[in-house]
Amino acid sequence: QVQLVESGGGSVQAGGSLRLSCAASGYTSSVNCMGWFRQPPGKEREGVASIATPSGGSAYTDSVKGRFTISRDNAKKVMYLLMNSLNPDDTAMYYCAATRTTYCHYAAQDQFGYWGQGTQVTVSS
């Protein structure tokens, strides 16, 4: 089993920045891919970004490219999401997730078997 705990959410004004963290524990050596997902109010959960834990290869959904950066510290077992130039459309509950599968992409949401409890990000205009 793998346990994930997110932190770093909060309320910011448009144009501001936040850095989310996701601390992993348990059988983390089995994890090959981690990702960030978000669920805006009244909408379905969507993939934001993913990162392959061995190689560091990453992918981003179009709406966050150039503004968000996903990274990981394998030694600390922590994944990050640096979010710059935030706008109200980024308001959502943000979740981190992990999977043992070698195919690593945020679009393959169903392959992520381990999930955190979420952290709220609210961006005001």
Side-chain angles (χ1 to χ4, degrees), residues 28-121:
T28 57
S29 60
S30 67
V31 171
N32 289 305
C33 176
M34 298 185 73
W36 286 100
F37 299 81
R38 66 186 181 185
Q39 186 166 18
K43 297 183 179 181
E44 293 186 353
R45 189 170 61 193
E46 61 182 6
V48 175
S50 52
I51 186 166
T53 49
S55 67
S58 59
Y60 299 87
T61 193
D62 286 347
S63 63
V64 308
K65 283 180 180 177
R67 299 189 300 122
F68 290 12
T69 303
I70 190 171
S71 62
R72 87 274 186 256
D73 185 327
N74 288 340
K76 295 182 178 179
K77 299 182 182 180
V78 180
M79 176 179 65
Y80 304 98
L81 186 68
L82 176 61
M83 305 185 294
N84 294 322
S85 301
L86 285 162
N87 61 66
D89 289 339
D90 296 316
T91 294
M93 183 70 79
Y94 282 73
Y95 299 90
C96 72
T99 177
R100 298 179 180 180
T101 62
T102 53
Y103 177 71
C104 187
H105 200 279
Y106 60 83
Q109 190 172 156
D110 290 345
Q111 295 192 35
F112 287 81
Y114 304 106
W115 292 83
Q117 82 290 348
T119 185
Q120 178 68 38
V121 172

